[in-house]
Amino acid sequence: MDDDARHEPLRGIKRLSLGALSGLLAGYAAIAVAELVSAAVRPESGPVIAVGGAAIDRTPPAVKDWAIRQFGTNDKLVLQLGILAVLTALALVLGMLATRWRLVGSLGVLAFGVVGALAATGRPDSSGVSDALPSVVGAVAGACLLYWLVGRLGRTGRAAHGPRTTNTGGTGVVEGDARADGGATSAHPEDGLGDSGWDRRGFILAATAAAAASTGAGLAGRALNGSQGQSAVASRKDVVLPAPSSKAAPVPKGAALRIKDISPFMTPNGDFYRVDTALVVPKVDATSWRLRIHGKGVARERTLSFDDLLKMPLIERNITLTCVSNEVGGPYVGNARWIGVRLADLLRECGVQPPSKGGPADQLVARSVDGMTIGSPVDDVMDGRDAMLAVGMNGQPLPFEHGFPVRMLVPGLYGYVSACKWIQDIELTTFDAYDPYWVKRDWAQRAPIKTQSRIDTPKPFARPKSGAVMVGGVAWAQHRGIDKVEVRVDDGPWEEARLAAEDTRDTWRQWSYAWDAPKGGHTLTVRATDRTGETQTEKRAPTIPDGASGWHSVVVTVD
Ligand SMILES: Nc1nc2c(c(=O)[nH]1)N[C@H]1C(S)=C(S)[C@@H](COP(=O)(O)O)O[C@H]1N2
Ligand SMILES: [Mo]
């Protein structure tokens, strides 16, 4: 029955390993408890999400672009895994430290709680100090657990003293622990104190119970956080999109070329690129959703419900959306059929005048439920183009990822200055008075989409057979329209590509070029000319501050 007795104090590797395990369990408990508490506060207030969000808010554009390039739409998963990896490493280290300085380990855990709390309350969507709760409560739970678990290991003098045989036996763990910690701040923590033995049974019991309780808390938190989205999911299922009063003109037959591997003219919702700062996709219940329109020069402030919007005349339009972070040849562009309320009409009902007609506000700032702010020129929104508050995408209510229940769209402007998802507020203001989220991070205040063209096929480093090779892709210059696309092989002359029929000047155009490919290595380059007569510039520009420029080329080897 040796198991029931106290053992020699633990030392060396075994002590460190069990300390590390204690740290790991404490970290796990902290995250799990925080998850449970976040269900009572807000799902976004959990420490991992909050720290991830804070990291996104602070990531320099160059690093953000790099992350998007490396990981694409998985960038957020990679970020969260990275945070978990760092937390794991820190938990291991704190656990090992705690075997020597018990209180220091626990204080370390609490310090991470403070970091999580600061991150959560500092996010643009923070709803105040309550967002600190999950991190704080989780950290306290983790700190207590670490303190308790490491206490089971028994305390030991410095290794130089050699093993001691005095055993405190049954004199009470709490008393012995208190003394050990009292000494934690002195230079020789345990000098003059006897060693206490290690409580193997207590450790195993406590560790097992903590692991089980944490798993329970974590799963309960997950389930509760998930169920909060259920009313939103139900409200989306209930949406019946009314027939638009102004239908999109039918897409001309020749708009879609029959070429293998070319981007389809309409991008299906499931394939549509997604770019946003949300680690948790906001789940907004359409029945309680409201949009407020207010600010400078708004004579009649309004607050609209989703039903109010659906009762208004709806327009249906095909619009190609592009992200400013799209590199030359990149994937962040897509074309969809949107249904929504014409934004200019709504603004006029509120008494808004564009600055070109004497209105006092030149910037419209859209604010989302997750605290994103996106500023668009009022003149662009009201100049007759089909700027809209969209409720439908390709015949369906907006997918949650793309802004359900309502998002904004302004043809011709990059998404970060026009396409606010999960919108809940529109404020009329000036460019001088307010910098929205991305402008605060050095992106341009105004950003019309640059003329671009992309080779979809052949792919880079493809090995087509010599002879007839079909080169194809898409070109876009939203709200100006594409007039011409040219292809160049190596340093040869520019040859005009065949353009698919134009749908509207707000949509991209497919193009193709029948190439009689000779054997060998070749570089294919494409460039487009928009309807203002301007040809896409060869000059390379980075994505920041207002969009990449340059020509897309693809290197292939013809066999
Ligand atoms: N709430 C919110 N809206 C947002 C963003 C965001 O981060 N948060 N990103 C914008 C950017 S940069 C782009 S390019 C478009 C992308 O829209 P999509 O994800 O539907 O393709 O959404 C815009 N709207
Ligand atoms: Mo974007």
Side-chain angles (χ1 to χ4, degrees):
M1 298 278 88
D2 203 40
D3 264 9
D4 286 352
R6 286 182 174 275
H7 298 253
E8 283 289 293
L10 274 179
R11 291 174 202 287
I13 284 290
K14 192 165 179 196
R15 184 177 178 85
L16 277 181
S17 311
L18 288 177
L21 175 64
S22 304
L24 211 54
L25 283 168
Y28 179 51
I31 300 287
V33 168
E35 177 80 21
L36 183 58
V37 177
S38 77
V41 183
R42 260 155 25 92
E44 298 82 0
S45 63
V48 178
I49 300 297
V51 170
I56 292 174
D57 291 343
R58 283 166 189 75
T59 304
V63 178
K64 182 192 134 240
D65 276 9
W66 171 84
I68 291 180
R69 262 200 313 281
Q70 293 300 306
F71 309 119
T73 317
N74 285 328
D75 57 346
K76 293 185 181 116
L77 181 64
V78 171
L79 174 64
Q80 291 190 70
L81 290 177
I83 290 171
L84 284 177
V86 170
L87 281 178
T88 305
L90 289 168
L92 292 170
V93 169
L94 284 176
M96 290 192 273
L97 277 179
T99 63
R100 191 78 169 90
W101 300 284
R102 198 170 159 204
L103 201 56
V104 169
S106 292
L107 288 176
V109 175
L110 287 179
F112 282 98
V114 172
V115 171
L118 288 176
T121 50
R123 291 235 57 204
D125 61 336
S126 172
S127 47
V129 284
S130 64
D131 284 343
L133 269 180
S135 294
V136 169
V137 178
V140 168
C144 291
L145 178 64
L146 182 59
Y147 194 80
W148 172 264
L149 283 175
V150 172
R152 297 319 90 205
L153 302 181
R155 63 196 164 70
T156 175
R158 287 174 303 158
H161 289 184
R164 297 188 184 188
T165 48
T166 346
N167 218 323
T168 50
T171 54
V173 181
V174 175
E175 186 200 335
D177 292 340
R179 273 187 286 141
D181 291 316
T185 48
S186 78
H188 306 285
E190 273 105 12
D191 265 3
L193 297 174
D195 293 344
S196 66
W198 100 274
D199 176 8
R200 180 166 157 191
R201 197 184 191 197
F203 183 88
I204 293 173
L205 275 177
T208 312
S214 303
T215 302
L219 288 177
R222 271 277 148 100
L224 285 170
N225 274 332
S227 70
Q228 290 185 345
Q230 272 166 21
S231 69
V233 172
S235 76
R236 184 170 179 275
K237 283 212 179 85
D238 288 346
V239 172
V240 180
L241 291 176
S245 50
S246 165
K247 280 183 71 69
V251 175
K253 272 207 183 64
L257 300 176
R258 241 172 270 152
I259 290 171
K260 200 172 159 286
D261 294 330
I262 201 172
S263 303
F265 179 69
M266 299 301 283
T267 313
N269 289 356
D271 296 341
F272 207 94
Y273 82 93
R274 176 189 161 201
V275 170
D276 55 58
T277 58
L279 283 171
V280 179
V281 176
K283 293 270 168 73
V284 180
D285 184 335
T287 59
S288 53
W289 175 87
R290 295 290 181 275
L291 173 70
R292 180 169 168 236
I293 303 175
H294 62 110
K296 263 197 172 59
V298 180
R300 291 171 294 280
E301 232 182 87
R302 284 192 76 172
T303 300
L304 296 148
S305 70
F306 191 63
D307 279 340
D308 292 338
L309 276 190
L310 293 191
K311 281 186 199 123
M312 296 178 180
L314 298 178
I315 57 170
E316 177 191 58
R317 297 289 183 268
N318 301 331
I319 298 169
T320 300
L321 183 61
T322 310
C323 181
V324 71
S325 291
N326 196 45
E327 303 278 347
V328 172
Y332 300 123
V333 52
N335 183 44
R337 171 164 290 199
W338 311 88
I339 289 182
V341 169
R342 186 188 285 279
L343 185 52
D345 292 350
L346 197 53
L347 292 174
R348 258 180 229 107
E349 282 179 31
C350 297
V352 175
Q353 290 286 336
S356 55
K357 298 224 173 90
D362 61 1
Q363 182 178 218
L364 179 156
V365 173
R367 188 173 272 105
S368 72
V369 301
D370 63 332
M372 175 54 59
T373 46
I374 285 182
S376 319
V378 177
D379 267 330
D380 289 353
V381 170
M382 301 185 77
D383 71 357
R385 71 183 80 191
D386 295 315
M388 66 164 100
L389 292 173
V391 294
M393 180 178 185
N394 289 329
Q396 317 220 299
L398 293 180
F400 286 109
E401 290 83 0
H402 297 291
F404 181 83
V406 182
R407 77 175 304 167
M408 216 176 104
L409 291 170
V410 184
L413 307 185
Y414 285 118
Y416 87 103
V417 287
S418 67
C420 188
K421 306 193 273 191
W422 315 291
I423 192 173
Q424 66 169 354
D425 187 279
I426 287 178
E427 181 177 356
L428 278 296
T429 179
T430 61
F431 280 104
D432 281 345
Y434 185 76
D435 282 341
Y437 185 93
W438 292 110
V439 177
K440 285 195 185 92
R441 288 161 179 79
D442 298 338
W443 297 79
Q445 282 187 321
R446 298 165 188 263
I449 296 172
K450 295 180 179 175
T451 300
Q452 271 295 326
S453 49
R454 182 177 75 192
I455 300 170
D456 289 336
T457 181
K459 293 279 172 232
F461 311 116
R463 303 191 72 109
K465 293 252 170 309
S466 64
V469 170
M470 195 50 92
V471 183
V474 281
W476 59 88
Q478 291 92 315
H479 212 57
R480 298 182 298 279
I482 289 289
D483 193 44
K484 184 167 75 173
V485 169
E486 296 160 290
V487 174
R488 190 178 70 178
V489 180
D490 302 322
D491 293 323
W494 286 102
E495 309 265 7
E496 226 172 291
R498 177 163 82 99
L499 266 181
E502 177 174 72
D503 179 17
T504 75
R505 59 186 171 142
D506 295 335
T507 56
W508 61 11
R509 281 178 90 168
Q510 296 180 341
W511 57 267
S512 70
Y513 174 74
W515 178 35
D516 184 13
K519 280 196 168 137
H522 297 287
T523 302
L524 299 163
T525 305
V526 65
R527 70 176 187 191
T529 300
D530 70 23
R531 286 212 186 280
T532 70
E534 198 163 322
T535 298
Q536 177 182 344
T537 175
E538 178 180 14
K539 211 174 142 224
R540 283 258 159 191
T543 55
I544 192 161
D546 63 356
S549 68
W551 293 336
H552 186 215
S553 34
V554 161
V555 175
V556 298
T557 307
V558 180
D559 285 332

mmCIF file of all heavy atoms in Angstrom, residues 2 14 99 148 155 182 188 209 212 238 243 250 259 295 339 365 381 409 448 451 453 475 494 514 520 546 549:
data_model
loop_
_atom_site.group_PDB
_atom_site.id
_atom_site.type_symbol
_atom_site.label_atom_id
_atom_site.label_comp_id
_atom_site.label_asym_id
_atom_site.label_seq_id
_atom_site.Cartn_x
_atom_site.Cartn_y
_atom_site.Cartn_z
ATOM 1 N N ASP A 2 2.009 1.075 -0.622
ATOM 2 C CA ASP A 2 2.940 2.188 -0.659
ATOM 3 C C ASP A 2 2.343 3.404 -1.357
ATOM 4 O O ASP A 2 2.698 4.528 -1.066
ATOM 5 C CB ASP A 2 4.209 1.732 -1.378
ATOM 6 C CG ASP A 2 5.377 2.605 -0.972
ATOM 7 O OD1 ASP A 2 5.451 2.936 0.228
ATOM 8 O OD2 ASP A 2 6.161 2.964 -1.852
ATOM 9 N N LYS A 14 11.707 14.045 -13.489
ATOM 10 C CA LYS A 14 10.343 13.611 -13.206
ATOM 11 C C LYS A 14 9.529 14.768 -12.640
ATOM 12 O O LYS A 14 8.386 14.993 -13.021
ATOM 13 C CB LYS A 14 10.370 12.440 -12.224
ATOM 14 C CG LYS A 14 9.022 11.764 -12.109
ATOM 15 C CD LYS A 14 9.114 10.424 -11.451
ATOM 16 C CE LYS A 14 7.736 9.794 -11.342
ATOM 17 N NZ LYS A 14 7.701 8.684 -10.395
ATOM 18 N N THR A 99 7.394 24.329 -10.406
ATOM 19 C CA THR A 99 7.962 23.280 -9.556
ATOM 20 C C THR A 99 9.052 23.860 -8.656
ATOM 21 O O THR A 99 9.412 23.277 -7.653
ATOM 22 C CB THR A 99 8.585 22.135 -10.391
ATOM 23 O OG1 THR A 99 9.666 22.662 -11.154
ATOM 24 C CG2 THR A 99 7.553 21.500 -11.307
ATOM 25 N N TRP A 148 -2.439 24.137 -7.035
ATOM 26 C CA TRP A 148 -2.854 22.907 -6.350
ATOM 27 C C TRP A 148 -2.050 21.708 -6.840
ATOM 28 O O TRP A 148 -1.477 20.951 -6.060
ATOM 29 C CB TRP A 148 -4.356 22.691 -6.556
ATOM 30 C CG TRP A 148 -4.843 21.375 -6.060
ATOM 31 C CD1 TRP A 148 -5.025 20.244 -6.805
ATOM 32 C CD2 TRP A 148 -5.198 21.007 -4.720
ATOM 33 N NE1 TRP A 148 -5.465 19.214 -6.028
ATOM 34 C CE2 TRP A 148 -5.581 19.658 -4.727
ATOM 35 C CE3 TRP A 148 -5.210 21.713 -3.502
ATOM 36 C CZ2 TRP A 148 -5.980 18.975 -3.575
ATOM 37 C CZ3 TRP A 148 -5.617 21.039 -2.369
ATOM 38 C CH2 TRP A 148 -5.991 19.679 -2.409
ATOM 39 N N ARG A 155 7.418 19.717 -1.860
ATOM 40 C CA ARG A 155 8.427 20.738 -2.124
ATOM 41 C C ARG A 155 9.783 20.165 -1.756
ATOM 42 O O ARG A 155 9.910 19.220 -0.980
ATOM 43 C CB ARG A 155 8.135 22.002 -1.353
ATOM 44 C CG ARG A 155 8.163 21.843 0.113
ATOM 45 C CD ARG A 155 7.484 23.024 0.778
ATOM 46 N NE ARG A 155 7.184 22.676 2.151
ATOM 47 C CZ ARG A 155 8.111 22.534 3.072
ATOM 48 N NH1 ARG A 155 9.378 22.699 2.771
ATOM 49 N NH2 ARG A 155 7.794 22.204 4.309
ATOM 50 N N GLY A 182 5.758 31.232 0.858
ATOM 51 C CA GLY A 182 6.236 32.393 1.568
ATOM 52 C C GLY A 182 7.704 32.615 1.230
ATOM 53 O O GLY A 182 8.174 33.742 1.150
ATOM 54 N N HIS A 188 16.750 32.134 -1.256
ATOM 55 C CA HIS A 188 16.905 30.707 -1.005
ATOM 56 C C HIS A 188 15.586 30.167 -0.502
ATOM 57 O O HIS A 188 15.370 30.067 0.697
ATOM 58 C CB HIS A 188 18.016 30.460 0.021
ATOM 59 C CG HIS A 188 19.311 31.105 -0.372
ATOM 60 N ND1 HIS A 188 20.102 30.600 -1.361
ATOM 61 C CD2 HIS A 188 19.927 32.234 0.064
ATOM 62 C CE1 HIS A 188 21.166 31.381 -1.504
ATOM 63 N NE2 HIS A 188 21.066 32.393 -0.659
ATOM 64 N N ALA A 209 -9.350 14.696 -12.522
ATOM 65 C CA ALA A 209 -10.585 15.452 -12.310
ATOM 66 C C ALA A 209 -10.535 16.767 -13.085
ATOM 67 O O ALA A 209 -11.510 17.169 -13.731
ATOM 68 C CB ALA A 209 -10.784 15.716 -10.819
ATOM 69 N N ALA A 212 -11.023 16.185 -16.791
ATOM 70 C CA ALA A 212 -12.414 15.856 -17.103
ATOM 71 C C ALA A 212 -13.308 17.085 -16.982
ATOM 72 O O ALA A 212 -14.116 17.377 -17.868
ATOM 73 C CB ALA A 212 -12.902 14.747 -16.172
ATOM 74 N N ASP A 238 -35.796 31.250 -42.832
ATOM 75 C CA ASP A 238 -37.134 31.821 -43.025
ATOM 76 C C ASP A 238 -37.183 32.904 -44.094
ATOM 77 O O ASP A 238 -38.269 33.343 -44.477
ATOM 78 C CB ASP A 238 -37.650 32.412 -41.701
ATOM 79 C CG ASP A 238 -38.022 31.316 -40.713
ATOM 80 O OD1 ASP A 238 -38.134 30.152 -41.150
ATOM 81 O OD2 ASP A 238 -38.178 31.628 -39.511
ATOM 82 N N ALA A 243 -39.361 39.065 -55.337
ATOM 83 C CA ALA A 243 -38.901 39.269 -56.711
ATOM 84 C C ALA A 243 -38.427 40.710 -56.840
ATOM 85 O O ALA A 243 -39.060 41.623 -56.314
ATOM 86 C CB ALA A 243 -40.044 38.998 -57.687
ATOM 87 N N PRO A 250 -30.755 39.833 -68.785
ATOM 88 C CA PRO A 250 -30.206 38.484 -68.932
ATOM 89 C C PRO A 250 -28.737 38.552 -69.372
ATOM 90 O O PRO A 250 -28.376 39.414 -70.173
ATOM 91 C CB PRO A 250 -31.069 37.842 -70.023
ATOM 92 C CG PRO A 250 -32.042 38.859 -70.469
ATOM 93 C CD PRO A 250 -31.866 40.113 -69.690
ATOM 94 N N ILE A 259 -14.398 27.309 -72.322
ATOM 95 C CA ILE A 259 -12.967 26.989 -72.257
ATOM 96 C C ILE A 259 -12.698 26.305 -70.932
ATOM 97 O O ILE A 259 -13.118 26.782 -69.881
ATOM 98 C CB ILE A 259 -12.130 28.268 -72.395
ATOM 99 C CG1 ILE A 259 -12.247 28.785 -73.832
ATOM 100 C CG2 ILE A 259 -10.669 28.017 -72.033
ATOM 101 C CD1 ILE A 259 -11.644 30.125 -74.041
ATOM 102 N N GLY A 295 -26.206 61.011 -39.151
ATOM 103 C CA GLY A 295 -24.981 61.787 -39.357
ATOM 104 C C GLY A 295 -25.224 63.119 -40.046
ATOM 105 O O GLY A 295 -26.359 63.597 -40.156
ATOM 106 N N ILE A 339 -29.055 40.889 -55.001
ATOM 107 C CA ILE A 339 -30.354 41.555 -54.894
ATOM 108 C C ILE A 339 -30.293 42.470 -53.688
ATOM 109 O O ILE A 339 -29.802 42.065 -52.627
ATOM 110 C CB ILE A 339 -31.493 40.529 -54.707
ATOM 111 C CG1 ILE A 339 -31.702 39.754 -56.000
ATOM 112 C CG2 ILE A 339 -32.782 41.214 -54.276
ATOM 113 C CD1 ILE A 339 -32.842 38.767 -55.908
ATOM 114 N N VAL A 365 -19.738 56.208 -43.810
ATOM 115 C CA VAL A 365 -19.052 55.175 -43.035
ATOM 116 C C VAL A 365 -20.054 54.103 -42.632
ATOM 117 O O VAL A 365 -21.025 54.367 -41.921
ATOM 118 C CB VAL A 365 -18.358 55.756 -41.790
ATOM 119 C CG1 VAL A 365 -17.793 54.633 -40.921
ATOM 120 C CG2 VAL A 365 -17.232 56.700 -42.214
ATOM 121 N N VAL A 381 -21.438 56.737 -54.259
ATOM 122 C CA VAL A 381 -22.629 55.976 -53.884
ATOM 123 C C VAL A 381 -23.880 56.557 -54.562
ATOM 124 O O VAL A 381 -24.811 55.824 -54.876
ATOM 125 C CB VAL A 381 -22.787 55.982 -52.341
ATOM 126 C CG1 VAL A 381 -24.129 55.407 -51.921
ATOM 127 C CG2 VAL A 381 -21.640 55.207 -51.688
ATOM 128 N N LEU A 409 -22.605 47.138 -51.136
ATOM 129 C CA LEU A 409 -21.795 46.938 -52.343
ATOM 130 C C LEU A 409 -21.802 48.245 -53.141
ATOM 131 O O LEU A 409 -22.853 48.866 -53.280
ATOM 132 C CB LEU A 409 -22.391 45.838 -53.224
ATOM 133 C CG LEU A 409 -22.354 44.391 -52.736
ATOM 134 C CD1 LEU A 409 -23.213 43.525 -53.665
ATOM 135 C CD2 LEU A 409 -20.932 43.865 -52.694
ATOM 136 N N PRO A 448 -10.648 53.256 -56.025
ATOM 137 C CA PRO A 448 -11.352 52.639 -57.150
ATOM 138 C C PRO A 448 -10.563 51.422 -57.637
ATOM 139 O O PRO A 448 -9.330 51.402 -57.526
ATOM 140 C CB PRO A 448 -11.386 53.741 -58.213
ATOM 141 C CG PRO A 448 -10.414 54.785 -57.782
ATOM 142 C CD PRO A 448 -10.099 54.578 -56.329
ATOM 143 N N THR A 451 -7.688 48.518 -63.258
ATOM 144 C CA THR A 451 -7.889 47.608 -64.389
ATOM 145 C C THR A 451 -6.902 46.438 -64.292
ATOM 146 O O THR A 451 -5.700 46.655 -64.135
ATOM 147 C CB THR A 451 -7.671 48.360 -65.717
ATOM 148 O OG1 THR A 451 -8.615 49.433 -65.767
ATOM 149 C CG2 THR A 451 -7.857 47.438 -66.911
ATOM 150 N N SER A 453 -6.113 42.059 -65.470
ATOM 151 C CA SER A 453 -6.453 40.868 -66.244
ATOM 152 C C SER A 453 -5.626 39.714 -65.716
ATOM 153 O O SER A 453 -4.538 39.921 -65.182
ATOM 154 C CB SER A 453 -6.175 41.105 -67.735
ATOM 155 O OG SER A 453 -4.880 41.650 -67.896
ATOM 156 N N ALA A 475 -10.808 39.519 -67.198
ATOM 157 C CA ALA A 475 -10.286 40.879 -67.064
ATOM 158 C C ALA A 475 -11.379 41.734 -66.450
ATOM 159 O O ALA A 475 -12.558 41.509 -66.692
ATOM 160 C CB ALA A 475 -9.893 41.430 -68.441
ATOM 161 N N TRP A 494 2.054 42.330 -79.162
ATOM 162 C CA TRP A 494 0.769 42.141 -78.476
ATOM 163 C C TRP A 494 -0.272 41.703 -79.499
ATOM 164 O O TRP A 494 -0.402 42.306 -80.559
ATOM 165 C CB TRP A 494 0.316 43.437 -77.810
ATOM 166 C CG TRP A 494 1.107 43.755 -76.571
ATOM 167 C CD1 TRP A 494 2.108 44.669 -76.467
ATOM 168 C CD2 TRP A 494 0.960 43.143 -75.288
ATOM 169 N NE1 TRP A 494 2.607 44.669 -75.183
ATOM 170 C CE2 TRP A 494 1.915 43.743 -74.432
ATOM 171 C CE3 TRP A 494 0.129 42.156 -74.768
ATOM 172 C CZ2 TRP A 494 2.052 43.394 -73.094
ATOM 173 C CZ3 TRP A 494 0.256 41.810 -73.439
ATOM 174 C CH2 TRP A 494 1.207 42.419 -72.609
ATOM 175 N N ALA A 514 -6.213 31.831 -78.964
ATOM 176 C CA ALA A 514 -5.792 30.540 -79.524
ATOM 177 C C ALA A 514 -4.320 30.642 -79.914
ATOM 178 O O ALA A 514 -3.948 31.383 -80.822
ATOM 179 C CB ALA A 514 -6.656 30.198 -80.732
ATOM 180 N N GLY A 520 9.218 24.300 -76.249
ATOM 181 C CA GLY A 520 10.178 25.086 -75.466
ATOM 182 C C GLY A 520 9.522 25.854 -74.342
ATOM 183 O O GLY A 520 8.313 25.789 -74.138
ATOM 184 N N ASP A 546 -3.335 51.188 -52.350
ATOM 185 C CA ASP A 546 -4.629 51.269 -53.045
ATOM 186 C C ASP A 546 -4.781 50.238 -54.159
ATOM 187 O O ASP A 546 -5.500 50.448 -55.114
ATOM 188 C CB ASP A 546 -4.869 52.686 -53.585
ATOM 189 C CG ASP A 546 -3.840 53.100 -54.617
ATOM 190 O OD1 ASP A 546 -2.892 52.324 -54.871
ATOM 191 O OD2 ASP A 546 -3.970 54.201 -55.180
ATOM 192 N N SER A 549 -0.746 46.731 -59.079
ATOM 193 C CA SER A 549 -0.795 46.909 -60.530
ATOM 194 C C SER A 549 0.371 46.156 -61.157
ATOM 195 O O SER A 549 1.279 45.703 -60.462
ATOM 196 C CB SER A 549 -0.747 48.396 -60.893
ATOM 197 O OG SER A 549 0.522 48.925 -60.563
#
